[in-house]
Amino acid sequence: MKRERYKSLRTLPREEPLGPGGPLCAGCGGLLALRLFHKALGGNAVFVNAAGCCTLLATYPFTPLRSSWIYTAMASAPAGAQGVRDALDILAEKGKLGAGDRKVVVLTGDGAAQDIGLQSTMAAIHRGLDFYYLCYDNEAYGNTGFQTSASTPYGSRTATCPIAPLSPRGNPAPRRDLFEIWRAQKPPYVATLSAAYPLDLAEKVFRASKFAGPKLFIALAPCPPGWDVDSEWAVELARLAVETGIWPLKEAVHGEVSHTFVPRRFKPVEQYLSLQGRFRHLFEPKRDDAAIALIQGAVDEYWKAARPGGGRAPGETP
């Protein structure tokens, strides 16, 4: 699909929805994704935050946010969004709301999106709630000590899947596919994001704004303490996830999937894995070729099934 609004970095909005001094970890990939998402969405928004890392952005009385913010329990953010949407619509009907379309956004980590809040999310999709749903996916329960979630990839070390004689490869299960779970409910728009590709991210937010109803965005969120990497590696890891094919950049408009960026030549997955402490056991003290081959094979199978398909030509800049 041809890009309509964001064709260069100069076209990104200059307004900053997040001020300095936020309390999140240095190098947080989720915070960077939220900042870019909010810039593209505009300031006229109400965020309904499921408990998670980003809850720290609104610790009363301090917050770097310049938008409205409501905090909920992990399971009930979509229900909270329904209440906010209804209230805004009623005020608009009574003429008590100023001009402009106020957007309602659920902000959640993968723990609430994949596990604790999935039930209420499915109900909101079924009702056709007009809302945005941004999941910053750091592939574990990051704010409580990096326990395994349904987003945790195969082979990752977590607090609940430590490297031990009974679990030498960490998490034994593949990650659950939240993109396909949503797509099966037939919402108008579903997409994956990477903060390393800001134009692709912003264009997807713009494209989704044309649709009423549920709209999902899943942003890979490198987590320096959980992934056991230095803070300055967050953007590079987000880029490598796309370049190795582990994190496909794609969207589904009314269920039709297209990839918005396909690398001209895929890098081997070990370039992505070997930089992270959570996968160090696959390389040290003895290299686990079978586990690495299993991860590479899953990526190869995905792209083999995805081609030929719609979307951008290989190597086209997102």
Side-chain angles (χ1 to χ4, degrees), residues 23 93 102 173 175 244 262 264 278:
E93 288 178 4
R102 283 177 170 76
R175 59 175 288 133
T244 57
V262 180
R264 188 180 302 278
R278 62 174 176 157

Side-chain angles (χ1 to χ4, degrees), residues 178-196:
L178 186 63
F179 183 95
E180 288 299 326
I181 290 174
W182 266 69
R183 192 167 77 94
Q185 313 306 313
K186 299 182 173 56
Y189 193 82
V190 183
T192 60
L193 308 176
S194 170

Side-chain angles (χ1 to χ4, degrees), residues 303-310:
W303 286 103
K304 182 180 178 181
R307 293 173 174 172

Side-chain angles (χ1 to χ4, degrees), residues 111-176:
Q114 290 264 29
D115 299 324
I116 300 173
L118 188 57
Q119 181 188 29
S120 61
T121 303
M122 292 298 102
I125 298 171
H126 187 65
R127 294 192 301 271
L129 175 62
D130 184 16
F131 75 135
Y132 296 76
Y133 191 104
L134 173 60
C135 170
Y136 54 97
D137 189 348
N138 57 22
E139 302 186 323
Y141 287 86
N143 68 318
T144 53
F146 211 72
Q147 295 87 2
T148 302
S149 80
S151 269
T152 302
Y154 170 82
S156 172
R157 183 196 69 205
T158 69
T160 47
C161 285
I163 306 307
L166 291 178
S167 56
R169 290 177 177 173
N171 181 40
R175 59 175 288 133
R176 186 188 289 158

Side-chain angles (χ1 to χ4, degrees), residues 51-140:
C53 295
C54 282
T55 300
L56 295 173
L57 287 175
T59 48
Y60 181 83
F62 305 105
T63 178
L65 283 158
R66 295 174 177 144
S67 54
S68 299
W69 184 274
I70 295 175
Y71 167 67
T72 73
M74 294 181 81
S76 56
Q82 178 77 65
V84 173
R85 182 72 270 167
D86 290 347
L88 292 173
D89 291 344
I90 290 171
L91 289 173
E93 288 178 4
K94 292 182 176 180
K96 296 182 178 181
L97 206 61
D101 175 28
R102 283 177 170 76
K103 305 173 184 70
V104 179
V105 184
V106 165
L107 176 66
T108 174
D110 53 283
Q114 290 264 29
D115 299 324
I116 300 173
L118 188 57
Q119 181 188 29
S120 61
T121 303
M122 292 298 102
I125 298 171
H126 187 65
R127 294 192 301 271
L129 175 62
D130 184 16
F131 75 135
Y132 296 76
Y133 191 104
L134 173 60
C135 170
Y136 54 97
D137 189 348
N138 57 22
E139 302 186 323

